[in-house]
Amino acid sequence: MLDPFRAICDTQYEIFRYGARNTKYENMKIAIHQPQYLPWLGYFDKMDQVDVFVLLDDVQYKKNEWQNRNKIRTAGGWQWLTVPVMYKFGQKISDVRIDDHRNWRARQAKSIELNYSRAPHCGEYFSFFRDIFSGNRELLVELNVGFIDYLKEVLGIKTEVVRSSSLKADGAGTERLIGICGALK
């Protein structure tokens, strides 16, 4: 079954003449997406095609979605990489804490290293992965944004990135997304 909220978040919003008083945002293309863990290439392609990319970080966290896990390809097939989290139902993505009672950081760094060490250019980038996994980020959103910011830079994407939590936008569902677009005018 199609999740309508996810479909809305994956939709690019294009605004024409919305910010008539502020020409910076006139005829602006906006994409709104939740901050994901190790996002796929299409996430960055979407980011590269818009003027402003909004990280929808102040909506409800959904357990075992792409916000805290992803898959990597291994010699034996796909392997899930999951960031253990501590959360309460209804909690916003921006408030979800990482559960560091498990040794997940070292295991995931090792999994990436073992499965991608022979890939071209792996050596150029693996030190970043080692650093981010050894870091002490306590919030899931900070870990995800760390990956997103780094990969955006490596890919040469110049799009402005804004967190929805920094905007004054009200509403729920589609109305919320329209509010975010309006807050950018």
Side-chain angles (χ1 to χ4, degrees):
M1 181 174 162
L2 179 65
D3 177 353
F5 183 71
R6 186 170 187 151
I8 290 168
C9 291
D10 286 344
T11 303
Q12 293 183 21
Y13 285 84
E14 192 165 346
I15 301 176
F16 292 103
R17 295 189 195 98
Y18 201 94
R21 289 182 299 264
N22 184 345
T23 57
K24 176 181 178 186
Y25 294 114
E26 198 170 329
N27 301 326
M28 173 177 48
K29 291 181 183 179
I30 300 171
I32 302 172
H33 211 296
Q34 295 174 3
Q36 296 186 337
Y37 182 61
L38 298 171
W40 79 106
L41 191 56
Y43 189 94
F44 294 99
D45 182 50
K46 182 188 296 186
M47 182 185 292
D48 195 34
Q49 294 181 37
V50 297
D51 302 305
V52 179
F53 190 86
V54 179
L55 293 172
L56 192 64
D57 67 342
D58 58 352
V59 294
Q60 182 177 329
Y61 169 79
K62 290 173 77 176
K63 183 180 180 182
N64 292 327
E65 288 285 330
W66 300 105
Q67 294 126 6
N68 77 311
R69 68 183 191 160
N70 213 325
K71 294 188 272 188
I72 61 169
R73 189 175 297 277
T74 70
W78 291 102
Q79 176 186 333
W80 282 103
L81 297 181
T82 302
V83 178
V85 296
M86 300 178 288
Y87 80 100
K88 295 182 176 120
F89 180 77
Q91 192 171 21
K92 293 178 181 178
I93 294 170
S94 58
D95 298 330
V96 173
R97 302 187 78 70
I98 295 172
D99 183 359
D100 273 325
H101 290 100
R102 305 176 201 170
N103 190 20
W104 69 274
R105 292 176 191 264
R107 282 195 314 258
Q108 287 193 22
K110 191 68 169 171
S111 290
I112 291 171
E113 184 175 24
L114 288 172
N115 290 290
Y116 292 94
S117 61
R118 293 184 182 157
H121 311 287
C122 180
E124 295 173 43
Y125 305 109
F126 191 72
S127 63
F128 164 77
F129 286 92
R130 222 177 281 122
D131 291 346
I132 200 164
F133 281 125
S134 65
N136 59 353
R137 289 173 171 83
E138 295 179 6
L139 296 174
L140 178 62
V141 73
E142 297 303 328
L143 179 69
N144 291 353
V145 170
F147 279 117
I148 291 166
D149 286 346
Y150 175 75
L151 294 170
K152 173 186 174 246
E153 182 181 325
V154 166
L155 294 169
I157 298 171
K158 304 296 184 206
T159 301
E160 178 183 1
V161 176
V162 177
R163 293 189 196 192
S164 61
S165 60
S166 72
L167 303 171
K168 290 182 172 84
D170 297 321
T174 302
E175 292 300 317
R176 170 95 171 108
L177 300 176
I178 293 169
I180 288 170
C181 293
L184 290 169
K185 69 176 184 177

